[in-house]
């Protein structure tokens, strides 16, 4: 009897491990996709609003295409999730708002500042998110990651002091971007914890489709839809390709980002979004010719080094070095 129970327990454990493999693979693919897309999304958005200078319209186009593609996949049976009812739509209003605000602020900031400056404000969100993660969601922060968060903040502030592209209006939008990103990370994670029964595709669809009416009204009021549409269809072929690429990447980052939010803590997801900035900086300097002072570049490296300290790999490296140092001291003491 005991043997049968043991065999049953082993079979159940094996089944759980088998189920965990595709789950881990899915999370890994989503993480890699998010890092790759996030590292270049700022560059592509910067180029998109340069060829089509209507940020609300461009953002709305990205959301519309994402919602349309996801719904099309649902209709042809590639994915499955229930049609949203009124109760679910009402529950998702806050998520849509928290998701939309930093996107709009980011687009506005990119029109006035270089990519590196916007990246620093993005990087500095981790301290605010970590504090909220601890106070509101109960996630404790260890000493080395905390040092990393403060290092990020110091590097970001130093960067701002030497920023050659300083623009007051741009910095106001960047501060708004920082604040809305902190709210975004904390609020959406709290809702996702309560919405485990919803699939990644359903969350992505709702976030996109509920944003479209809001952005349509914003674009109509601030930019004028006829002007936007006329500008879109009068663009050159390369400009059209840039905007189309931004829509494809918008879909990718929406789905991959939603999946990563489900897997990581609020702070972990925020740091994940900051660990690809060297690629963004290199692309910005190469493709867009952004000018950065040597002091700002050093400060940016310091901030990104803080992001490494926060990461599990950075913490493991520091602990390993400290352990090696302690072992050497103990060895030296033994020889005395």
């Amino acid at each position: 009897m005991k043997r049968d129970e043991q065999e049953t327990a082993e079979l159940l454990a094996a089944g759980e491990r088998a189920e965990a493999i595709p789950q881990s693979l899915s999370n890994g693919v989503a993480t890699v996709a998010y890092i790759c897309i996030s590292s270049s999304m700022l560059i592509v958005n910067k180029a998109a609003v340069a060829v089509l200078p209507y940020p609300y319209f461009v953002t709305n186009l990205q959301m519309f295409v994402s919602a349309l593609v996801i719904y099309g996949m649902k209709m042809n049976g590639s994915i499955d999730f229930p049609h949203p009812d009124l109760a679910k739509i009402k529950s998702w209003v806050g998520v849509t708002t928290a998701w939309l605000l930093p996107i709009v602020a980011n687009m506005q900031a990119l029109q006035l500042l270089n990519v590196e400056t916007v990246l620093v404000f993005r990087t500095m969100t981790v301290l605010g998110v970590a504090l909220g993660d601890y106070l509101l969601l109960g996630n404790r922060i260890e000493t080395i990651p905390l040092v990393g968060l403060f290092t990020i903040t110091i590097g970001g502030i130093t960067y701002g002091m030497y920023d050659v592209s300083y623009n007051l209006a741009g910095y106001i939008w960047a501060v708004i971007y920082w604040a809305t990103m902190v709210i975004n990370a904390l609020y959406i994670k709290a809702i996702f914890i309560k919405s485990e029964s919803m699939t990644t595709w359903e969350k992505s669809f709702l976030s996109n489709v509920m944003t479209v009416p809001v952005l349509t009204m914003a674009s109509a009021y601030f930019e004028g839809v006829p002007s936007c549409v006329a500008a879109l269809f009068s663009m050159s072929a390369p400009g059209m390709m840039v905007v189309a690429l931004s829509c494809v990447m918008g879909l990718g980052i929406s789905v991959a980002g939603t999946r990563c939010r489900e897997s990581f803590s609020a702070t972990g997801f925020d740091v994940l979004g900051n660990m690809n900035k060297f690629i963004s900086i290199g692309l910005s300097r190469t493709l867009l010719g952004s000018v950065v002072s040597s002091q700002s570049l050093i400060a940016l490296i310091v901030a990104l080094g803080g992001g490494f300290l926060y990461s599990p790999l950075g913490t493991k490296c520091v602990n390993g070095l400290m352990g090696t140092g302690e072992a050497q001291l103990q060895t030296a003491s033994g020889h005395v």
Side-chain angles (χ1 to χ4, degrees):
M1 189 72 174
K2 288 183 178 180
R3 184 176 178 180
D4 290 341
E5 290 177 355
Q6 184 179 358
E7 288 178 352
T8 302
E10 289 176 353
L11 286 171
L12 288 172
E16 289 175 358
R17 287 194 296 271
E19 290 177 1
I21 291 173
Q23 179 81 4
S24 300
L25 182 62
S26 174
N27 291 341
V29 171
T31 302
V32 172
Y34 181 76
I35 290 173
C36 292
I37 298 172
S38 178
S39 64
S40 52
M41 191 70 188
L42 277 174
I43 313 296
V44 173
N45 277 342
K46 177 76 173 178
V49 295
V51 297
L52 187 61
Y54 299 100
Y56 291 111
F57 182 76
V58 172
T59 307
N60 194 28
L61 195 61
Q62 293 172 354
M63 305 297 173
F64 177 78
V65 169
S66 296
L68 186 65
V69 170
I70 293 173
Y71 190 74
M73 292 174 67
K74 172 180 166 56
M75 288 294 97
N76 70 16
S78 300
I79 57 175
D80 183 48
F81 56 85
H83 287 289
D85 54 27
L86 185 59
K88 187 168 289 184
I89 290 173
K90 286 181 178 179
S91 71
W92 217 250
V93 170
V95 173
T96 303
T97 304
W99 192 56
L100 173 63
L101 291 177
I103 294 173
V104 173
N106 172 263
M107 285 291 199
Q108 294 286 352
L110 283 171
Q111 283 194 309
L112 302 167
L113 301 171
N114 63 29
V115 171
E116 289 81 3
T117 304
V118 178
L119 286 178
V120 166
F121 278 91
R122 173 68 178 86
T123 304
M124 289 172 61
T125 57
V126 292
L127 195 59
V129 173
L131 180 62
D133 209 3
Y134 175 69
L135 295 176
L136 302 177
L137 301 179
N139 291 316
R140 187 170 173 268
I141 307 170
E142 301 296 334
T143 302
I144 294 173
L146 188 61
V147 170
L149 297 180
F150 277 103
T151 304
I152 291 169
T153 304
I154 292 169
I157 293 172
T158 305
Y159 179 96
M161 292 172 62
Y162 292 99
D163 182 17
V164 297
S165 71
Y166 178 79
N167 177 292
L168 179 59
Y171 263 62
I172 290 172
W173 277 111
V175 170
I176 294 172
Y177 175 52
W178 177 89
T180 53
M181 276 301 300
V182 172
I183 295 170
N184 171 292
L186 295 170
Y187 180 78
I188 293 181
K189 181 60 182 180
I191 297 298
F192 274 23
I193 291 172
K194 299 176 182 178
S195 308
E196 292 183 351
S197 61
M198 294 176 65
T199 67
T200 301
W201 291 104
E202 183 180 8
K203 293 171 186 172
S204 299
F205 175 73
L206 280 173
S207 297
N208 282 287
V209 77
M210 289 180 63
T211 303
V212 171
V214 180
L215 281 177
T216 299
M217 290 187 289
S219 179
Y221 182 78
F222 292 106
E223 299 167 338
V225 173
S227 300
C228 297
V229 174
L232 175 66
F233 287 103
S234 63
M235 287 169 48
S236 63
M240 191 75 77
M241 289 177 64
V242 169
V243 174
L245 177 61
S246 76
C247 292
V248 173
M249 293 179 69
L251 170 63
I253 201 168
S254 171
V255 177
T258 299
R259 184 65 176 176
C260 289
R261 285 183 191 272
E262 295 169 344
S263 307
F264 294 92
S265 68
T267 307
F269 176 76
D270 201 53
V271 172
L272 176 66
N274 291 324
M275 292 307 293
N276 49 59
K277 300 313 182 228
F278 280 120
I279 302 173
S280 296
I281 295 163
L283 289 172
S284 176
R285 290 173 67 84
T286 303
L287 301 178
L288 303 180
S290 298
V291 179
V292 183
S293 68
S294 57
Q295 296 95 329
S296 289
L297 195 57
I298 292 170
L300 193 55
I301 293 171
V302 169
L304 292 168
F308 174 75
L309 281 177
Y310 176 83
S311 69
L313 178 60
T315 302
K316 185 177 180 180
C317 288
V318 173
N319 285 332
L321 289 172
M322 291 174 66
T324 302
E326 288 176 2
Q328 289 176 346
L329 284 173
Q330 289 174 0
T331 302
S333 300
H335 288 298
V336 176

